């Protein structure tokens, strides 16, 4: 593993390339999706035209981005923006990327659980697990997480049902 | 507590309706409006919200389930539990959506509850236009292609098709959308004419931007007596929006009738009467076989109109 | 339009409560680092849906104002900009607070916010009606060109690369296409799924991209701790002499803020950056900027609040939002069938007067709340994120369900939350995405309505002067940064 000054550039270049490829995929999907759109009687261009040409623009711009990555032109910082600001970096604590992964995975499980277990139960469980994963694991924090999860889950469920919002 | 509610409910019910539906409704009733808040379909549901609550003895919640040219809300009610606690409030937009096949079902997929109101529509032009009477307007339409602001396939489009069929005129359709954006395009001179309800047209008529050519009603409005009808200008045509209520197909007949009768009682509520007057709507009540015949007639006519004028989707 | 009535309505029970709650929540969320005012607006959308359009406007406008203002608290005290628009405030606010004058630094920022906001309100009230009359001549082609310009402007002025900004905007447009095509009534891009007939719910996409994505990103900062602050706010009230000394700076920064606000799509952060740079360039003592200099705080905080009044002008007169946050406000109006545009003033005067009255009133409420409670709000930073983030996700889920009660919308929201998070990791700005999402349907229906009127000819785009002007500006804004970059490359060979 090399130091941050060396990895920073390739990393952002890789992210840019992935972004460009993902956008191309979405554009191609759109073009494929509108391929059989019929012409409408009152409409000179039809329902397919605007999505199709938007997708063409996406393909063109994504290619520009890819070419720039391949030519190793920087796409970050002062090179291309009219305004750039350096953001203050606070390094007094550890950034834990793992937590964001937890957040993504737990959210997906939570949504999948709602139709199975009902809104209140799923919410309490989600808040318990997510809160416990993020907090500093002292007994006091865990206790607060538990209280917040129970009160929050049940309270929100009750409160919004009272507002006649249909919760599963 | 429970018992007292029950007694009060029975009392209210026994005043007007047969006793067999007295257990219904036994929980809050949800009214689904498949249009956004602020449109005329939404107004109707909200006019009835409190008066109906007084009649039925249960709270009513109006929820706007928007999207898909009303098909999302329509589908949600079609698929709801058929216990009379989910009701749909929508006008002919349900028929246009079915005609255009944006949903794979039509009025036959519902229990048809009642019609509570009719709202006659008007043809509106820019106040600077040279044609300010219906004969002059129709002559101009025959002479050159007038641009009509409509939402393709929606009720304001079908109104023009009906007018064209009755008078032998053709228009160039420009998709300006619903009532709000269409009247803006009309005021800016980007289209030449549009169908609007009196309520939609009024603010811009008052401000001097727009002019109503004719109202397609049987007689003049009491609230706006100098508004000439189409009939007295030589075109005998009535065009209107009909406000209908629907329930899931399998809802027991007794419950459908109970709700329909509650609507009829609520129509005489001073609150509703006053709102009708304010919005220039006419109280027209239909239910049962009469209503079903009327809806079927309009649906058939609309399908024929769509076929003749090549308004198709997918 | 009766403004007096708007103000009178605001002091009745319910609306007053909405004003106070909205401004307060705005300030708190604005001050919190992970969440922006935009996320709060997105979260409030489903709930305003159940209110009248006037009440919804009152709540959302006060959240908008509060959110822009709250960012200065944490920016000044902790060098953590709670809002992107407060980034510049950190440059001088934090050194001054560190230097033992936190009260003075906050006082300058809060007062500048109030005055900047109030001046932009004057612009809003005087310019909007005139602009509405003017905008009536905008036909489909002008509106289409204007939307195009908004997209290019926000991409060109966002942080980072123009190409990525534009791609983000176009991606937002692609996301808006599935569902029933508004012009023909045909189904499009549903890929055979019944749920897709209505397309992706805007609300769910916005909630995901603005709120969920931020929670996901914020989770990795769960360990962040803040040092305890000196709770003294001595000097938070400014003297008349202070105001006089800053008068020119305040007026200049307000004008910059309002003008940049009016430009479609460009948000408050650009306003404060430009105002700060201009103040520095015109100063006799530019070297003092960045060391805790009063002029710097005042310029930044005046301009970002002045942006709000400016951004609302095109939103209500053209239906084109002046900033990403204003685009969420616009979505709120559209959901109520309130059609912003030149005729809004005649058709829904009550909405216009509520919006204008709230804009000023919430600035005053904001001033009172911040002066009285900024230290208490700062103390909220000590609350562990582990307690807050789960609740926000649950609230978002309720928000997505509140609209139509469909699980599909919840999945949409989580999906776009993950997408938004990944985009942020790849340094792709999300502002253009939201602008593209909201404006694409407008651009498409306007273009196609124009073509229906012109029998399929695109010529009006270049024949009508206003449309041509917007097109030229768009092209220029896209080409200029690329060209400048190209020139720079020619001059300095790459360090290969």
């Amino acid at each position: 593993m090399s130091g941050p000054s060396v990895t920073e550039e390739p990393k952002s270049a890789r992210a840019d390339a992935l972004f460009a490829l993902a956008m191309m995929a979405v554009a191609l999907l759109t073009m494929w999706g509108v391929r059989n759109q019929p012409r409408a009687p009152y409409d000179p261009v039809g329902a397919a035209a605007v999505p199709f040409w938007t997708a063409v623009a996406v393909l063109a711009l994504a290619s520009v981005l890819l070419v720039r990555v391949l030519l190793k032109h920087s796409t970050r910082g002062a090179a291309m923006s009219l305004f750039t600001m350096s953001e203050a970096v606070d390094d007094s604590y550890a950034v834990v990327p793992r937590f964001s992964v937890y957040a993504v995975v737990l959210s997906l499980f939570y949504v999948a659980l709602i139709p199975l277990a009902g809104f209140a139960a799923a919410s309490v469980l989600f808040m318990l697990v997510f809160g416990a994963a993020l907090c500093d694991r002292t007994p006091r924090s865990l206790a607060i997480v538990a209280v917040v999860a129970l009160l929050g889950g049940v309270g929100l469920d009750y409160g919004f049902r009272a507002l006649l919002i249909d919760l599963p | 507590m429970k018992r007292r509610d029950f007694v009060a409910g029975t009392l209210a019910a026994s005043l007007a309706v047969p006793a067999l539906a007295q257990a219904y409704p036994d929980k809050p009733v949800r009214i689904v409006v498949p249009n956004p808040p602020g449109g005329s379909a939404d107004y109707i549901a909200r006019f009835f919200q409190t008066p109906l609550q007084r009649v039925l003895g249960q709270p009513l919640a109006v929820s706007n389930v928007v999207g898909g040219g009303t098909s999302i809300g329509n589908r949600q009610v079609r698929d709801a539990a058929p216990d009379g606690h989910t009701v749909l409030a929508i006008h002919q937009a349900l028929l246009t959506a079915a005609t255009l096949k944006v949903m794979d079902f039509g009025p036959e997929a519902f229990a048809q509850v009642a019609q509570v109101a009719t709202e006659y529509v008007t043809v509106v032009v820019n106040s600077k236009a040279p044609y300010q009477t219906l004969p002059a307007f129709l002559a101009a339409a025959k002479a050159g292609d007038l641009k009509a602001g409509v939402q393709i396939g929606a009720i304001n489009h079908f109104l023009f098709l009906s007018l064209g069929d009755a008078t032998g005129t053709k228009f160039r359709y420009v998709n300006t959308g619903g009532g709000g954006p269409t009247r803006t395009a009309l005021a800016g001179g980007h289209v030449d004419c549009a169908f609007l309800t009196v309520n939609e047209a009024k603010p811009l008529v008052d401000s001097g931007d727009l002019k109503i050519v004719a109202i397609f009603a049987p007689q003049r409005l009491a609230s706006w007596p100098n508004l000439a009808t189409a009939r007295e200008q030589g075109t005998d045509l009535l065009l209107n929006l009909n406000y209908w209520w629907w329930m899931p197909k399998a809802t027991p007949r007794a419950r459908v009738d109970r709700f329909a009768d509650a609507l009829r009682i609520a129509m005489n509520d001073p609150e509703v009467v006053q709102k009708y007057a304010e919005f220039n709507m006419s109280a027209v009540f239909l239910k049962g076989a009469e209503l079903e015949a009327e809806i079927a007639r309009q649906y058939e006519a609309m399908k024929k109109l769509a076929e003749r004028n090549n308004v198709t989707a997918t | 339009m009766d403004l007096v009535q708007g103000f009178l309505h605001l002091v009745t029970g319910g609306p007053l409560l909405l004003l106070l709650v909205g401004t307060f929540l705005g300030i708190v969320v604005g001050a919190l680092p992970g969440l922006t005012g935009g996320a709060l607006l997105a979260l409030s959308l489903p709930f305003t849906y159940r209110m009248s359009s006037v009440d919804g406007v009152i709540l959302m406008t006060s959240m908008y104002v509060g959110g822009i203002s709250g960012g200065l608290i944490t920016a000044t005290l902790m060098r953590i900009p709670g809002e992107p628009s407060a980034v510049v405030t950190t440059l001088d606010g934090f050194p001054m607070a560190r230097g033992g004058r936190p009260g003075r630094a906050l006082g300058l920022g809060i007062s500048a916010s109030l005055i900047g906001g109030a001046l932009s309100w004057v612009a809003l009230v005087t310019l909007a009606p005139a602009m509405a009359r003017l905008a009536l001549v905008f036909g489909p082609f002008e509106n289409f060109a204007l939307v195009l310009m908004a997209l290019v402007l926000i991409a060109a002025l966002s942080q980072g690369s123009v190409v990525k900004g534009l791609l983000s905007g176009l991606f937002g447009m692609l996301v808006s296409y599935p569902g029933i095509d508004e012009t023909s009534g045909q189904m499009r891009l549903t890929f055979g799924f019944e749920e897709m007939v209505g397309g992706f719910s805007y609300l769910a996409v916005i909630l995901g991209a603005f709120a969920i994505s931020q929670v996901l990103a914020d989770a990795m900062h769960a360990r962040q701790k803040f040092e305890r602050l000196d709770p003294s706010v001595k000097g938070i009230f400014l003297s008349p002499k202070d105001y006089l000394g800053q008068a020119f700076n305040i007026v200049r920064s307000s004008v910059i803020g309002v003008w940049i606000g009016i430009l479609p799509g460009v948000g408050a952060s650009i306003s404060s950056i430009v105002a700060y740079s201009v103040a520095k360039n015109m100063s006799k003592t530019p070297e003092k900027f960045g060391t805790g200099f009063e002029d710097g705080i005042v310029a930044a905080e005046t301009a970002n609040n002045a942006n709000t009044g400016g951004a609302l002008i095109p939103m209500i007169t053209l239906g084109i939002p002046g900033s990403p946050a204003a685009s969420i406000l616009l979505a709120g109006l559209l959901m109520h069938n309130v059609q912003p545009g030149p005729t809004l003033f005649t058709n829904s005067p009550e909405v216009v007067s509520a919006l204008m009255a709230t804009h000023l009133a919430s600035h005053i409420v904001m001033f009172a709340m911040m002066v009285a409670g900024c230290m208490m709000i700062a103390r909220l930073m000590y609350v562990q994120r582990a307690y807050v983030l789960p609740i926000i996700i649950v609230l978002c889920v309720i928000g997505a369900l509140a609209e139509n009660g469909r699980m599909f919308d919840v999945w949409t929201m989580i999906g776009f939350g993950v997408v938004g998070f990944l985009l942020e990791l790849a340094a792709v700005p999300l502002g253009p995405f939201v602008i593209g999402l909201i404006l694409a349907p407008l651009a498409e229906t306007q273009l196609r309505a124009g073509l229906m009127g012109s029998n399929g000819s695109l010529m009006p785009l270049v024949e009508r002067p206003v449309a041509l002007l917007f097109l030229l500006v768009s092209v220029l804004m896209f080409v200029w940064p690329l060209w400048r970059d190209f020139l720079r490359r020619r001059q300095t060979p790459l360090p290969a």
Side-chain angles (χ1 to χ4, degrees):
Chain A
M1 285 280 133
S2 39
S5 54
V6 188
T7 53
E8 200 50 46
E9 268 306 301
K11 235 190 210 164
S12 76
R14 205 160 57 217
D16 282 352
L18 281 176
F19 171 58
L21 290 173
M23 288 300 109
M24 284 175 158
V26 175
L28 289 173
L29 185 68
T30 303
M31 287 171 150
W32 182 77
V34 296
R35 74 201 180 285
N36 288 330
Q37 203 75 34
R39 273 296 175 87
Y42 297 103
D43 183 0
V45 292
V50 174
F52 183 85
W53 288 104
T54 311
V56 170
V58 169
L59 282 181
L61 280 171
S63 318
V64 171
L65 187 60
L66 262 189
V67 168
R68 293 183 69 99
V69 170
L70 294 177
L71 291 178
K72 298 201 170 62
H73 285 195
S74 168
T75 54
R76 286 195 183 197
M80 291 184 63
S81 173
L82 292 181
F83 294 98
T84 40
M85 284 295 309
S86 58
E87 277 181 49
V89 178
D90 180 1
D91 49 10
S92 62
Y93 64 98
V95 175
V96 193
R98 194 177 70 239
F99 285 166
S100 287
V101 180
Y102 291 171
V104 172
V105 174
L106 288 174
S107 303
L108 292 175
F109 270 109
Y110 169 43
V111 177
L113 193 63
I114 291 174
L116 302 175
F119 180 79
S123 300
V124 170
L125 189 68
F126 167 73
M127 288 165 85
L128 267 180
V129 178
F130 190 27
L134 289 190
C135 76
D136 53 17
R137 311 274 165 79
T138 58
R140 185 171 162 273
S141 300
L142 286 171
I144 295 179
V145 164
V147 171
V148 168
L150 276 173
L151 287 183
V154 176
L156 289 175
D157 186 72
Y158 181 81
F160 285 103
R161 268 181 218 285
L163 292 177
L164 290 168
I165 291 177
D166 287 321
L167 300 175
Chain B
M1 221 28 223
K2 268 241 163 78
R3 212 191 138 101
R4 208 183 308 149
D5 284 347
F6 179 69
V7 173
T10 320
L11 266 177
S14 62
L15 288 176
V17 290
L20 35 60
Q22 53 187 235
Y24 163 79
D26 51 3
K27 60 179 187 185
V29 176
R30 180 161 177 258
I31 304 174
V32 172
V33 177
N35 275 345
S40 51
D42 178 65
Y43 287 143
I44 280 282
R46 291 182 198 277
F47 296 167
F48 276 88
Q49 194 173 10
T50 335
L52 266 182
Q53 189 163 332
R54 282 195 278 269
V55 181
L56 291 168
Q58 282 288 348
L60 285 94
V62 175
S63 53
N64 302 84
V65 180
V66 186
T70 72
S71 71
I72 293 184
N74 297 341
R75 178 170 279 119
Q76 205 174 70
V77 174
R78 183 196 64 163
D79 298 339
D83 58 3
H85 291 101
T86 312
V87 194
L88 176 71
I90 187 64
H91 45 59
Q92 285 105 320
L94 189 142
L95 304 187
T96 60
T99 306
L100 260 83
K101 300 194 176 67
V102 294
M103 42 186 207
D104 48 6
F105 55 90
E108 73 289 343
F110 295 89
Q112 300 164 9
V113 182
Q115 171 173 338
V116 295
T118 288
E119 186 175 16
Y120 290 98
V121 293
T122 60
V123 161
V124 185
V125 298
N126 195 299
S127 55
K128 295 187 202 75
Y131 31 80
Q132 303 279 335
T133 62
L134 191 58
F137 170 74
L138 291 174
K142 271 180 196 145
D145 55 351
L146 286 190
K147 283 186 266 184
V150 300
Q151 179 157 7
I152 299 289
I155 186 74
N156 61 5
H157 184 191
F158 277 98
L159 289 169
F160 266 111
L161 296 180
S162 307
L163 177 67
D165 253 31
T167 60
T169 44
K170 281 211 183 313
F171 297 89
R172 178 134 54 107
Y173 295 107
V174 174
N175 187 72
T176 46
T182 296
R183 66 190 164 187
T184 303
L186 198 56
H190 308 295
V191 291
D192 301 312
C193 53
F195 267 105
L196 296 173
T197 65
V198 173
N199 185 39
E200 281 169 341
K202 194 163 190 315
L204 286 177
V205 172
D206 290 346
S207 71
D209 288 292
L210 302 183
K211 169 90 167 75
I212 294 180
V213 168
I215 179 163
F216 289 80
Q219 65 270 320
R220 294 191 174 207
L221 294 177
S223 57
W224 201 340
N226 57 353
L227 206 59
T229 64
R231 188 174 276 174
E232 63 192 77
Q233 298 185 66
T235 303
D236 195 5
L237 183 65
L238 299 182
L239 295 172
N240 49 41
L241 297 176
N242 302 131
Y243 293 95
W244 292 320
W245 297 68
W246 318 70
M247 280 185 188
K249 183 83 178 169
T251 311
R253 195 70 230 174
R255 293 188 171 197
V256 175
D257 285 340
R258 166 92 176 93
F259 198 85
D261 292 333
L263 281 168
R264 178 151 62 184
I265 296 167
M267 276 168 70
N268 296 321
D269 190 297
E271 218 175 285
V272 174
V273 171
Q274 190 231 323
K275 285 290 181 195
Y276 274 19
E278 200 179 305
F279 282 78
N280 294 300
M281 293 172 177
S282 323
V284 174
F285 183 84
L286 291 178
K287 72 168 206 172
E290 235 183 326
L291 174 71
E292 279 161 30
E294 173 65 13
I295 289 177
R297 187 188 63 76
Q298 291 198 21
Y299 189 36
E300 276 316 305
M302 197 175 274
K303 278 198 281 199
K304 285 216 185 76
L305 211 51
E307 213 170 296
R308 265 204 303 281
N309 291 281
N310 205 13
V311 189
T312 45
T314 29
Chain C
M1 175 195 49
D2 197 353
L3 257 179
V4 179
Q5 230 158 9
F7 281 110
L8 286 179
H9 182 65
L10 270 182
V11 291
T12 56
L16 182 65
L17 189 70
L18 288 174
L19 172 71
L20 296 176
V21 168
T23 312
F24 177 73
L25 285 176
I27 296 173
V28 170
V29 168
L32 284 170
L35 281 177
T36 64
L40 178 69
L41 280 173
L43 198 52
S44 73
L45 269 182
F47 305 109
T48 60
Y49 201 45
R50 281 155 192 274
M51 303 173 184
S52 74
S53 50
V54 167
D55 286 352
V57 160
I58 292 172
L59 183 71
M60 291 185 76
T61 310
S62 46
M63 283 177 166
Y64 179 42
V65 169
I68 290 280
S69 314
L72 77 95
I73 299 177
T74 33
T76 304
L77 296 176
M78 300 159 181
R79 201 172 23 128
I80 299 161
E83 289 283 305
S85 62
V87 170
V88 194
T89 313
T90 59
L91 299 180
D92 282 287
F94 183 68
M96 183 184 286
R98 225 334 114 81
R101 291 190 295 158
R104 174 83 179 163
L106 288 170
L108 283 167
I110 297 170
S111 300
S113 293
L114 172 66
I115 298 178
L119 289 177
S120 80
W121 178 78
V122 175
L124 172 66
V125 172
T126 51
L127 293 183
M131 188 134 155
R133 215 52 223 178
L134 202 69
L136 206 52
V137 306
F138 280 30
F141 287 104
E142 283 83 4
N143 284 329
F144 171 71
L146 185 62
V147 172
L148 216 62
M149 186 173 88
L151 274 176
V152 178
L153 267 182
I154 185 177
L157 299 183
S158 297
Q159 292 274 63
S161 127
V162 183
V163 174
K164 282 158 76 177
L166 266 181
L167 271 173
S168 169
L170 290 169
F171 179 43
M173 295 178 81
L174 288 181
V175 169
S176 80
Y177 293 140
I180 290 185
D181 166 36
E182 271 185 54
T183 303
S184 64
Q186 295 176 355
M187 275 187 263
R188 162 170 93 179
L189 289 166
T190 58
F191 299 99
F193 294 104
E194 201 181 78
E195 287 91 344
M196 291 282 289
V197 169
F200 296 115
S201 145
Y202 279 179
L203 203 150
V205 177
I206 294 176
L207 264 181
F210 257 85
I212 296 277
S213 71
Q214 287 183 16
V215 172
L216 300 181
D218 217 29
M220 68 173 91
H221 299 286
R223 288 277 182 269
Q224 191 171 18
K225 291 258 166 62
F226 301 100
E227 29 181 314
R228 300 272 155 175
L229 297 162
D230 165 21
S232 119
V233 287
K234 207 164 72 65
I236 199 162
F237 288 102
L238 305 190
S239 68
K241 213 178 95 221
D242 291 325
Y243 287 111
L244 271 181
Q246 292 290 349
F248 182 62
N249 186 6
I250 286 176
V251 171
R252 181 186 55 213
S253 305
S254 298
V255 171
I256 293 174
V258 169
W259 172 240
I260 290 186
I262 292 176
L263 289 182
V266 188
S269 35
I270 308 292
S271 286
S272 55
I273 293 170
V274 174
Y276 185 86
S277 321
V278 171
K280 190 173 170 179
N281 288 335
M282 286 179 69
S283 170
K284 289 189 203 85
T285 53
E287 71 284 353
K288 283 196 188 164
F289 279 82
T291 60
F293 192 43
E294 303 199 338
D295 294 28
I297 304 177
V298 170
E301 280 305 319
T302 308
N304 63 20
N305 277 72
N307 182 282
T308 57
L312 293 176
I313 294 175
M315 190 198 85
I316 57 174
T317 58
L318 295 166
I320 309 264
S323 70
S327 73
I328 302 175
L329 241 162
L330 174 68
L333 287 179
L334 290 175
M335 284 192 339
H336 275 99
N337 220 2
V338 173
Q339 192 69 45
T343 48
L344 182 69
F345 290 78
T346 19
N347 291 325
S348 315
E350 71 287 353
V351 171
V352 176
S353 49
L355 182 125
M356 289 181 170
T358 309
H359 183 255
L360 185 63
S362 67
H363 268 103
I364 295 165
V365 171
M366 173 278 293
F367 179 79
M369 282 180 172
M370 301 253 287
V371 166
C374 58
M375 278 301 165
M376 267 180 294
I377 291 165
R379 226 165 280 156
L380 283 174
M381 300 307 113
Y382 307 144
V383 176
Q384 273 199 47
R385 288 183 192 184
Y387 311 148
V388 182
L389 297 184
I391 300 185
I392 296 174
I393 293 206
V394 174
L395 277 175
C396 287
V397 169
I398 293 177
L401 282 170
E403 188 190 16
N404 285 344
R406 298 195 308 169
M407 279 310 285
F408 178 70
D409 295 335
V410 181
W411 283 111
T412 304
M413 175 186 75
I414 294 286
F416 280 97
V418 175
V419 168
F421 171 55
L422 293 176
L423 289 181
E424 275 199 347
L425 281 187
V428 177
L430 286 177
F433 173 81
V434 176
I435 296 269
L437 176 82
I438 306 265
L439 290 188
L442 182 69
E444 175 173 14
T445 48
Q446 291 291 327
L447 176 66
R448 285 167 66 188
L451 289 174
M452 288 162 116
S454 74
N455 268 332
S457 162
L458 274 171
M459 286 310 284
L461 264 183
V462 287
E463 284 167 0
R464 301 179 65 115
V466 179
L468 181 65
L469 175 76
F470 291 155
L471 266 192
L472 287 179
V473 172
S474 320
V475 172
L476 197 71
M477 290 306 286
F478 175 60
V479 174
W480 177 33
L482 290 176
W483 178 247
R484 206 184 46 161
D485 187 38
F486 176 71
L487 286 184
R488 194 175 291 168
R489 237 169 252 296
R490 288 275 297 271
Q491 285 157 7
T492 51
L494 271 181

